[in-house]
Amino acid sequence: MTITRFAPSPTGHIHVGNLRTALFNYLIARKAGGTFILRLDDTDQERSKQEYVDGIQRDLEWLGLHWDRVERQSLRMDRYRAEADALRASGRLYEVFETPVELDLKRKKLLNMGKPPVYDRTGLSLSDADKDRLRAEGREGYWRFLLDQNRIEWTDGILGDISIDAASVSDPVLIRADGQVLYTFASSVDDTDMGVTHIVRGSDHVTNTATQIQIIQAIGGTPPAFAHHSLLTGAKGEELSKRIGALSLKDLREAGVAPEALIALMARLGSGVPVGLASLDELAEAFDLGQFGASPTKFDAEDLWPLTRERNQALPFAAVADRIAALGVPDDQAERFWRVASQNITRLDDLGDWWRIFSEGAEPQIDPEDVDFIAQAMTLLPAGPFTDATWGEWTAAVKEATGRKGKGLFMPLRKAVTGQAHGPDMSDVMPLLQIVKARP
């Protein structure tokens, strides 16, 4: 059975980079009829907050990415302690005492010598007496995993064959001095215990994957199939992380982006497959990691708006009836209002702007050369309420009185009545208008 997981830290809001990881794992599970786990990496008790847990779940639900079960790493500390004890007993987890300053000096020295800045395993040579002395000096021990210094190889679902020399990688820290279990270890234990079969994540995790493969093997597990998608950049190739605050899912949702637009773009971005609206089931059926490349993938939030517009304009009235009612549109005008306004919106919030025009009147847009023309035209506007025939009757009367025709007739009148140069057919607009501010 295919089992995938999305493992965010509840220390902030999900952004578009996180979404790519979540979506790929979701689509793999759904295509195979498998299980998609939402696993909260909340071992950092100081930074993890329930408000972010709620936000993560709200974002995923908004997108339709429904999980099969939730796991919390903070509830699995006994498992991590048990596996850590087993690794200590086997000699694969050893205690070290270097400070960040000391480690930095070691790294700089190695770099100056033209050598890779790999941890020198000083901790392995410490006797119990040495450790007691260091503790007496106020030092706190933390724990590193002893890597087998051979080549770590796997066939990546996107990057192809990967081979990393473990001797070029520092033994990873798995447990901090304060006892906090770090992601590299907790994730390895969880993936093993939960039977995770496939993991897709960003290419910045490749080295991390190499160490996790050894950790999983050391605790008796079988490494899952790994794939590493390219990292997103801005539209001009800039690092996305520098402006990630504007690209959280929360902010995109509040800006009016349609969830289907975001899903459609993220499911195809970087694959060479044309982007178009599709259901999650359709996206899952067609999903293929082999379509994605290793090069950085450009993401432009502006690409979300044409998709959002397409989705919103295709919605049936039933999908927006409550929203329209909340605007105060009378029941007998609601469907007409949606038919008239729907093809002139991008965000659903734009409906409010159109109803304000219809119910409160628009600020007239009158060019200087059209002032006298509009004044005369408004004296010819029939008394309301307006009907489907009002626009044709009014423009015919204005044409006869002023001699104007074509664009010179219709555009100034549209701008005076709606305050807009473009919009719905004015024959449809007039019956919805309750106030015309340009009327004398």
Side-chain angles (χ1 to χ4, degrees):
M1 181 178 184
T2 297
I3 300 176
T4 67
R5 47 76 163 177
F6 174 49
S9 297
T11 56
H13 297 291
I14 301 178
H15 54 71
V16 290
N18 302 138
L19 170 58
R20 201 163 189 232
T21 297
L23 180 58
F24 282 19
N25 286 287
Y26 175 89
L27 293 176
I28 288 172
R30 290 294 175 260
K31 182 174 184 176
T35 298
F36 175 64
I37 300 171
L38 172 58
R39 194 169 74 211
L40 299 165
D41 175 11
D42 59 350
T43 58
D44 186 340
Q45 293 299 296
E46 289 186 6
R47 298 177 61 224
S48 296
K49 298 184 184 301
Q50 185 60 40
E51 65 183 276
Y52 293 129
V53 172
D54 296 340
I56 289 168
Q57 294 181 331
R58 189 181 307 116
D59 286 340
L60 294 180
E61 288 172 342
W62 171 61
L63 292 166
L65 304 184
H66 301 296
W67 53 89
D68 296 296
R69 72 175 194 263
V70 177
E71 300 281 355
R72 296 189 74 138
Q73 292 187 330
S74 59
L75 302 179
R76 293 178 46 78
M77 300 307 296
D78 288 346
R79 282 292 300 129
Y80 308 142
R81 281 190 284 268
E83 290 295 352
D85 287 343
L87 289 177
R88 290 187 188 97
S90 67
R92 296 300 296 274
L93 198 62
Y94 64 99
E95 194 172 18
V96 295
F97 291 84
E98 289 92 350
T99 67
V101 172
E102 289 170 338
L103 290 174
D104 188 53
L105 289 173
K106 286 185 177 185
R107 281 192 292 266
K108 289 178 179 177
K109 183 178 180 180
L110 288 169
L111 289 170
N112 288 336
M113 296 169 63
K115 297 180 179 181
V118 177
Y119 177 63
D120 60 10
R121 294 182 165 178
T122 297
L124 284 175
S125 63
L126 295 175
S127 66
D128 288 342
D130 291 331
K131 295 176 183 177
D132 290 341
R133 175 179 52 78
L134 290 167
R135 291 191 186 95
E137 293 174 359
R139 301 267 188 141
E140 294 183 317
Y142 52 101
W143 299 84
R144 288 183 181 267
F145 177 74
L146 183 65
L147 290 168
D148 287 332
Q149 293 189 329
N150 52 19
R151 297 202 74 83
I152 305 171
E153 299 178 332
W154 73 94
T155 299
D156 193 274
I158 294 175
L159 303 179
D161 292 336
I162 302 291
S163 179
I164 293 178
D165 183 0
S168 68
V169 181
S170 292
D171 291 340
V173 175
L174 300 191
I175 303 175
R176 292 192 345 185
D178 62 2
Q180 182 183 332
V181 176
L182 298 184
Y183 171 82
T184 305
F185 183 42
S187 182
S188 298
V189 175
D190 290 345
D191 290 336
T192 300
D193 287 357
M194 297 172 191
V196 173
T197 61
H198 295 74
I199 296 174
V200 184
R201 54 189 179 184
S203 58
D204 53 337
H205 282 283
V206 168
T207 300
N208 188 38
T209 292
T211 61
Q212 283 186 296
I213 286 174
Q214 282 207 10
I215 294 169
I216 290 171
Q217 292 169 334
I219 63 176
T222 300
F226 286 96
H228 295 82
H229 60 70
S230 60
L231 299 182
L232 295 180
T233 69
K236 297 180 180 178
E238 71 276 20
E239 287 187 33
L240 201 61
S241 60
K242 291 183 178 178
R243 54 193 193 94
I244 207 70
L247 294 171
S248 71
L249 302 198
K250 174 179 179 290
D251 288 341
L252 291 173
R253 181 175 69 250
E254 291 176 352
V257 169
E260 295 89 344
L262 190 53
I263 288 293
L265 183 61
M266 299 309 292
R268 301 280 173 76
L269 198 64
S271 70
V273 178
V275 175
L277 292 177
S279 70
L280 278 167
D281 287 342
E282 292 169 333
L283 292 171
E285 181 63 29
F287 189 70
D288 181 1
L289 284 175
Q291 296 172 335
F292 294 86
S295 301
T297 302
K298 292 182 179 180
F299 170 79
D300 188 348
E302 291 301 311
D303 292 337
L304 293 168
W305 295 116
L307 292 166
T308 293
R309 181 166 56 250
E310 180 183 349
R311 176 265 196 180
N312 287 339
Q313 292 185 357
L315 289 173
F317 171 71
V320 296
D322 288 346
R323 178 184 285 265
I324 289 174
L327 294 175
V329 181
D331 290 345
D332 61 348
Q333 291 184 310
E335 289 198 54
R336 172 188 280 272
F337 171 71
W338 172 242
R339 176 173 58 81
V340 171
S342 62
Q343 300 309 299
N344 293 273
I345 61 170
T346 295
R347 306 173 309 135
L348 288 178
D349 284 349
D350 295 341
L351 290 171
D353 296 332
W354 280 108
W355 182 242
R356 279 188 290 275
I357 289 174
F358 296 153
S359 62
E360 300 174 14
E363 288 302 319
Q365 299 297 313
I366 304 174
D367 295 333
E369 63 272 20
D370 292 324
V371 172
D372 292 339
F373 166 71
I374 294 299
Q376 183 178 3
M378 287 301 160
T379 65
L380 300 172
L381 180 62
F386 305 127
T387 69
D388 291 331
T390 298
W391 176 253
E393 293 170 353
W394 181 35
T395 53
V398 173
K399 178 180 179 181
E400 183 177 350
T402 66
R404 287 213 187 190
K405 58 184 179 180
K407 186 176 181 181
L409 169 67
F410 300 117
M411 181 60 74
L413 294 180
R414 172 186 286 276
K415 290 167 65 177
V417 170
T418 69
Q420 310 284 324
H422 305 283
D425 188 291
M426 290 299 294
S427 295
D428 292 327
V429 166
M430 295 303 290
L432 290 167
L433 283 172
Q434 299 176 13
I435 298 173
V436 178
K437 286 188 175 181
R439 186 195 288 268

